[in-house]
């Protein structure tokens, strides 16, 4: 007998959390595995354009409507010499790449990536190397990228065929500098000082930029909290954001527990906000630091395979997670965790975009397709722009190995006032049956249901592959109905739901 659970939600038009910064729907491309080579770039591919970028991949990227893409790493950036990736391609060095133990050919570098970003209608969130390098490389690099001309590095860019400056406006001050695996890892004090001095010279060249300081590489790091407090204490006046990174995996095959992992993400965000505000209070500052959740996703499927990869190969298939339906559900919940704190989380990058723990997969020389996790991201990016409403939720709950009182319903709603559209996102975490959902609407007279999209499958482990690219796809087959100011629906067992309403349409 299938066990039906129940949940109710109240949405009041004037009870709001915040406007959504569109950069919440950012992504990430690192020089890692087949993300660049065989992913976005493959000159011999039948769909490649004149610069070698895959057209099939670019079309899928455009479907996601991504406003920013973080580049070039990740761990890669901490050993990267930006000079290796500019100028004539035949003169670029092949390097041993120590973060992932591969050979980097440098065929793609800053200018090519900027050009690709334009083609897919996105902005670059650029990262500098604070592992093996520092203040000097930082000032030269930003001069190369953002200065109009008339100086050594800006003229060098022009001589490379890029007359107009790239004007990258958002910069990461290194990557995961607290992690012992990071090339040139540092203590919080060492990193904070270096980040501060790098920020000063970068703003000296271009005062209009925004800067992200490295927070901890995860909530479980032994230095978590102390790291953020020390780094922000040192850099407060020069930075705008602090970064957060998290990945979850269903390693013990405990799906109920896995689907509850977004509660950990909520707690992580809550804690980092508290630390930012502690430093603000200590400094008696009026400035508020915002959060850049610039790496988040499910990552565990490929761990075993990655241990077997031969070192020093070019673009090997690293971190190639094949995602299941249940992964897509957690990705949906993680997106809702970001929206729930849209008042402070202004930037987020799903890690990553193509092939490497990614919503888009390719075969080198072959097809490109959408993984299961493509869909919740796409729905949130398309329909989750506007104002996040503050819901009041009552739901049946369960306990799992690591979490207590986990609501079967995870939900949030976004109002797009310009378009008179309301979208309710919801995950049913019930693995035994449906969830009877009633959503009381207040202040939404004249709104009608446009569609109720569901993403689900009988098999929680169902995936999309090159042979079966449409095994797990969203369908507009949900049964949501509007009855006297209430949305009523039965959300299918283990499902992602998008209930779209609009006024007068
Ligand atoms: O996204 C994969 C890796 O995860 C990134 O390179 C690193 O920053 C993180 O540890």
């Amino acid at each position: 007998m299938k066990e039906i659970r129940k949940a109710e939600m109240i949405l009041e038009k004037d009870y709001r959390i915040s406007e959504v910064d569109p950069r919440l729907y950012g992504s990430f491309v690192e020089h890692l595995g087949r993300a660049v080579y065989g992913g976005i770039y493959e000159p011999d591919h039948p769909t490649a354009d004149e610069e070698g970028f895959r057209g099939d991949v670019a079309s899928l990227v455009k479907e996601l409507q991504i406003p920013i893409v973080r580049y070039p790493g990740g761990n890669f950036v901490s050993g990267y010499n930006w000079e290796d990736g500019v100028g004539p391609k035949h003169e670029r060095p092949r390097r041993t790449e120590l973060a992932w133990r591969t050979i980097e050919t440098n065929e793609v570098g800053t200018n090519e990536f900027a050009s690709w970003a334009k083609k897919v209608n996105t902005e670059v969130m650029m990262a500098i190397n604070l592992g093996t390098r520092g203040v000097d490389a930082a000032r030269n690099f930003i001069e190369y990228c953002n200065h109009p001309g008339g100086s050594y590095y800006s003229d060098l860019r022009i001589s490379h065929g890029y007359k107009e400056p790239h004007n990258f406006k958002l910069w990461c001050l290194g990557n995961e500098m607290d992690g012992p695996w990071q090339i040139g890892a540092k203590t919080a004090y060492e990193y904070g000082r270096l980040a501060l001095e790098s920020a000063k010279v970068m703003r000296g060249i271009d005062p209009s930029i925004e800067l992200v300081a490295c927070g901890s590489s995860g909530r479980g790091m032994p230095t978590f909290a102390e790291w953020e407090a020390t780094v922000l204490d040192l850099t407060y006046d020069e930075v705008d954001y602090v970064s957060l990174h998290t990945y979850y995996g269903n390693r013990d095959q405990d799906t109920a527990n896995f689907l509850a992992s977004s509660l950990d993400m909520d707690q992580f965000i809550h804690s980092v906000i508290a630390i930012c505000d502690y430093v603000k209070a200590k400094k008696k500052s009026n400035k508020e630091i915002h959060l850049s959740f610039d790496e988040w996703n499910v990552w565990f499927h490929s761990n075993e395979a990655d241990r077997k990869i031969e070192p020093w190969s070019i673009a090997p298939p690293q971190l190639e997670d094949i995602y299941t339906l249940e992964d897509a559900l957690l990705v949906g919940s993680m997106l809702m965790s970001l929206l729930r704190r849209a008042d402070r989380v202004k930037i987020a990058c799903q890690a990553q975009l193509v092939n490497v723990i990614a919503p888009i997969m390719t075969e080198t020389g072959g097809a490109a397709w959408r993984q299961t996790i493509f869909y919740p991201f796409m729905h949130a990016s398309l329909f989750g722009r506007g104002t996040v409403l503050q819901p009041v939720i009552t739901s049946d709950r369960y306990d799992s190995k690591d979490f207590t009182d986990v609501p079967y319903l995870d939900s949030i709603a976004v109002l797009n006032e310009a378009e008179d559209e309301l979208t309710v996102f919801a995950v049913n975490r019930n693995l035994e049956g449906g969830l009877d959902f009633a959503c009381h609407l207040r202040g939404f007279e004249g709104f009608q249901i446009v569609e109720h999209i569901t993403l689900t499958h009988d098999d929680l482990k169902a995936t999309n592959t090159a042979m079966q690219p449409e095994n797990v796809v969203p369908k507009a087959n949900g049964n949501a109905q509007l009855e006297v100011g209430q949305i009523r629906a039965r959300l299918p067992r283990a499902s992602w739901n998008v209930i779209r309403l609009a006024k007068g349409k």
Side-chain angles (χ1 to χ4, degrees), residues 488-499:
R488 289 195 158 269
R490 176 165 290 178
L491 311 184
R493 163 196 176 254
S495 60
W496 161 253
N497 298 263
V498 184
I499 304 176

Side-chain angles (χ1 to χ4, degrees), residues 238-476:
E238 287 291 344
V239 304
D240 305 284
Y241 308 90
V242 64
S243 73
L244 297 83
H245 292 179
T246 204
Y247 297 97
Y248 300 113
N250 191 1
R251 290 190 177 80
D252 334 324
Q253 295 305 317
D254 179 347
T255 301
N257 193 52
F258 173 64
L259 293 183
S261 309
S262 59
L263 272 62
D264 178 80
M265 187 166 178
D266 292 332
Q267 196 51 49
F268 188 14
I269 294 172
H270 180 76
S271 305
V272 176
I273 292 171
I275 302 161
C276 291
D277 292 349
Y278 157 73
V279 182
K280 177 182 179 188
K282 194 174 148 194
K283 290 186 175 288
K284 301 176 184 62
S285 171
N286 288 323
K287 177 178 173 182
E288 194 157 76
I289 298 288
H290 287 148
L291 276 53
S292 172
F293 215 127
D294 46 41
E295 285 188 33
W296 66 269
N297 208 347
V298 172
W299 174 15
F300 75 109
H301 296 285
S302 57
N303 293 167
E304 193 56 41
D306 285 343
R307 282 190 265 277
K308 297 179 188 137
I309 284 176
E310 274 295 300
W312 317 125
S313 44
I314 298 173
Q318 286 166 308
L319 279 66
E320 297 205 356
D321 275 36
I322 305 301
Y323 289 114
T324 61
L325 170 75
E326 64 187 30
D327 298 330
L329 303 187
L330 182 63
V331 162
S333 280
M334 293 176 87
L335 285 157
M336 289 191 278
S337 293
L338 296 169
L339 284 166
R340 210 169 280 127
R341 288 316 306 256
D343 56 326
R344 295 298 288 272
V345 186
K346 299 296 173 187
I347 299 163
C349 303
Q350 190 181 36
Q352 299 193 10
L353 183 58
V354 187
N355 290 331
V356 172
I357 43 173
I360 299 169
M361 280 304 290
T362 73
E363 284 174 333
T364 303
W369 65 97
R370 302 166 191 83
Q371 293 230 59
T372 59
I373 63 167
F374 184 96
Y375 296 107
F377 187 96
M378 180 186 75
H379 292 146
S381 177
L382 263 52
F383 307 127
R385 308 216 183 190
T387 307
V388 189
L389 299 181
Q390 178 68 65
V392 178
I393 294 178
T394 37
S395 172
D396 288 346
R397 289 168 187 263
Y398 66 95
D399 292 339
S400 72
K401 182 165 75 64
D402 299 320
F403 304 94
T404 45
D405 272 341
V406 182
Y408 285 103
L409 174 73
D410 188 4
S411 186
I412 198 80
V414 179
L415 172 66
N416 183 335
E417 279 189 302
E419 301 290 332
D420 263 337
E421 288 175 1
L422 172 68
T423 302
V424 178
F425 299 107
V427 164
N428 174 12
R429 293 188 176 112
N430 184 8
L431 303 177
E432 308 305 325
L435 181 72
D436 280 342
F437 175 58
C439 177
H440 307 266
L441 299 178
R442 298 184 184 161
F444 291 100
E445 292 74 23
F447 278 69
Q448 300 293 331
I449 291 180
V450 175
E451 59 179 348
H452 173 183
I453 304 167
T454 70
L455 182 74
T456 188
H457 200 285
D458 289 343
D459 179 5
L460 293 172
K461 308 292 180 193
T463 58
N464 292 337
T465 59
M467 297 297 285
Q468 254 196 313
E470 300 198 343
N471 185 32
V472 185
V473 288
K475 296 184 181 131

Side-chain angles (χ1 to χ4, degrees), residues 178-180 186-188 216-230 275:
D178 62 322
K186 295 183 170 45
T187 65
S216 299
S217 26
R219 187 175 172 228
M221 294 299 288
T223 50
F224 172 61
E226 201 50 56
W227 172 278
E228 280 77 358
T230 306
I275 302 161

